[in-house]
Amino acid sequence: MLAEATKFEDECLAELSRAADPAALEAWRTRVLGGSGSLKSLMGRLRDVPKAEKPAVGQHLNGVKTRLEEAFEARRAELASRGASGPAIDITEPGTPPPDGRRHVLTRTIDEITEVFGRMGFTVAEGPEVEDEWHNFTALNIPDGHPARDPTDNFYMGGEGAGEGRRLLRTQTSTVQIRALEKQRPPIKIIACGRVYRPDTHDATHFSMFHQVEGLCVDRGVTMVDLKSTLFHFARAYFGEEAEVRMRPSFFPFTEPSAEVDMKMKVKGEWKWVELGGCGMVDPNVLKAVGVDPEEWTGFAFGLGIERIAMRRYGISDIRWLFENDARFLRQF
Ligand code: DAH
C-alpha cells in the first residue's frame, strides 16, 4: 500500500507538471483532489489496511495529500506568473492614443505666409543667422559708421571675416536679398522667413530674437504698383476680404522710395490698422553691389514682422509667451 501510494503521488505530480493552461490545471484538480477524485478513493482504502499498519499508512497518505495540494498551488502560481493563464492585459483592446503634437504657432504662421506668397509665385530662399557685415549692412547700402552698425544695437561675435568685416547675428532678413541675388540673376522672386536678433530689453512687445518675412522681386519694369498689389493680395488672402494695405512714406537705406506697411486686419473682432514692417523699391546701390544693372532691372522689397502678424491674428498680448515653451500656452493654437 505504501509503495502504491508513492507511485500514485509520483504519477499525479508528473501529470500536474504537464498541465500547461488553466483548463488542464482545473481538470487535474477535479480528477485528483476533487470530491470523487483519485486521492479520495485511495484514502478510502485505508479501511482495508491491517490495523497494525494503519497509523503508518494513514500518516503517509496524509503526507501525499498535503504534498499534492501544495504542488497544485505552486503550479497554479507558476502558470499565472508566466502569463499562461492569459495575458494580464487584453492586447486586442484599442490602445491609449499618444497626445497629439502640433506645430508652434509661429511655425504655423510661417507655413501659412509661405503658402500665400507661394501662390503668387514667390519661392523660398534662406540665409545664415550668423552673418557678416557685407550682407547685413554694406551691400544693403548701410555704409561704415552708419548708426545701425553701432555695437549697442547689434550682437557682434568678434573675429574678422575675410574682407567682409565682423560676424554678427543678423538684425534683419534683408540679408537674404543679397544672398539670393549673389546666387541667382534676375528675374528673381523670393521670400525668406527666419530669425533676426537685436539687443532689445524683453517686455510684452520686445524680444532679443524674433522672426521676419522678407520679400524680393527683381525683374524688368517692376514698379511700386507691383509692390502694393502684392502686399494687398497677401493681406486679402491672409486676413480676409476686408483687409487693406496702407503705405506711409519712410526711409530705409536699401530702398528708394521707402514706406512703412500697415495692414488692416481683424483684431479681437474689430478691423484695425496694424504696423507690420517696411517696404520700398530696391535702391540702385543694392543692385550695383551684387552686379545687377539698375538701368535694366528694377525691384521691390518688403520685410514684415512675423510675431506681430501671429500675435494680432491669434490675440496673443505678450511676445514672451511665444518663447517660453509652455505647453499649456502652445496647445491653444
Ligand atoms: N529690414 C527692415 C527692418 O528690419 C525691414 C524692411 C524694410 C525690409 C524695407 C525691406 C524693406 O525689405 O524694403 O526694419
Side-chain angles (χ1 to χ4, degrees):
M1 179 79 192
L2 282 178
E4 202 184 321
T6 299
K7 190 173 168 237
F8 170 79
E9 182 180 352
D10 290 346
E11 281 169 6
C12 288
L13 289 175
E15 273 174 37
L16 181 63
S17 69
R18 285 193 296 270
D21 57 60
L25 196 65
E26 180 57 20
W28 183 91
R29 194 190 65 78
T30 313
R31 187 157 23 88
V32 178
L33 304 176
S36 41
S38 48
L39 179 64
K40 193 129 186 199
S41 56
L42 181 70
M43 293 186 93
R45 287 172 48 206
L46 190 60
R47 266 183 272 124
D48 311 330
V49 172
K51 202 166 179 198
E53 292 170 26
K54 250 183 199 162
V57 175
Q59 206 184 352
H60 184 72
L61 288 177
N62 281 334
V64 171
K65 182 172 185 260
T66 309
R67 285 191 293 278
L68 287 177
E69 283 169 353
E70 283 170 2
F72 171 76
E73 287 306 329
R75 182 70 178 153
R76 179 157 61 186
E78 189 193 346
L79 289 184
S81 76
R82 249 202 247 159
S85 57
I89 47 162
D90 179 358
I91 57 164
T92 65
E93 227 179 66
T96 314
D100 278 348
R102 65 189 65 211
R103 284 173 299 164
H104 190 284
V105 59
L106 284 179
T107 308
R108 186 172 143 183
T109 304
I110 289 170
D111 290 349
E112 290 163 351
I113 291 171
T114 305
E115 211 266 327
V116 172
F117 281 113
R119 278 190 266 149
M120 290 193 269
F122 286 82
T123 55
V124 171
E126 274 183 322
E129 291 175 24
V130 177
E131 261 299 2
D132 49 53
E133 293 193 82
W134 167 258
H135 292 94
N136 202 79
F137 299 125
T138 317
L140 287 165
N141 202 30
I142 303 172
D144 273 350
H146 190 282
R149 294 181 177 240
D150 197 286
T152 57
D153 291 330
N154 293 279
F155 288 113
Y156 284 105
M157 321 275 304
E160 297 283 317
E164 298 167 330
R166 292 166 289 181
R167 305 256 159 201
L168 75 161
L169 297 180
R170 70 180 178 194
T171 55
Q172 48 186 357
T173 45
S174 303
T175 54
V176 186
Q177 292 187 33
I178 305 303
R179 297 235 165 230
L181 284 168
E182 283 171 343
K183 258 195 242 148
Q184 189 192 329
R185 300 282 84 188
I188 188 171
K189 207 172 170 186
I190 55 110
I191 59 158
C193 295
R195 297 170 190 214
V196 299
Y197 301 83
R198 294 178 193 178
D200 282 334
T201 304
H202 293 182
D203 62 25
T205 53
H206 295 87
F207 209 83
S208 51
M209 182 278 301
F210 57 98
H211 297 72
Q212 292 183 328
V213 49
E214 189 82 15
L216 173 72
C217 171
V218 180
D219 205 336
R220 291 187 181 88
V222 172
T223 71
M224 244 173 140
V225 175
D226 302 304
L227 169 59
K228 186 158 187 187
S229 61
T230 299
L231 294 172
F232 179 74
H233 283 299
F234 168 76
R236 283 284 163 103
Y238 194 67
F239 296 113
E241 282 302 297
E242 288 169 73
E244 285 179 56
V245 171
R246 184 165 74 183
M247 283 157 59
R248 289 175 289 115
S250 184
F251 175 80
F252 296 100
F254 33 88
T255 44
E256 183 59 35
S258 305
E260 306 276 339
V261 187
D262 302 341
M263 289 191 187
K264 199 174 192 180
M265 61 174 91
K266 215 166 190 173
V267 179
K268 291 185 188 138
E270 247 183 78
W271 288 87
K272 280 200 180 133
W273 285 107
V274 178
E275 194 185 317
L276 287 186
C279 68
M281 299 306 292
V282 179
D283 193 290
N285 286 340
V286 173
L287 296 174
K288 281 186 212 153
V290 290
V292 171
D293 179 4
E295 296 302 325
E296 183 181 358
W297 305 96
T298 51
F300 67 76
F302 58 86
L304 312 176
I306 292 177
E307 279 76 4
R308 284 188 158 226
I309 295 175
M311 288 170 71
R312 296 305 180 120
R313 181 157 191 196
Y314 297 105
I316 299 165
S317 54
D318 194 316
I319 193 173
R320 291 168 291 194
W321 292 336
L322 292 169
F323 306 118
E324 281 173 355
N325 269 346
D326 187 331
R328 292 169 303 174
F329 169 75
L330 296 174
R331 255 201 300 271
Q332 300 175 75
F333 309 101

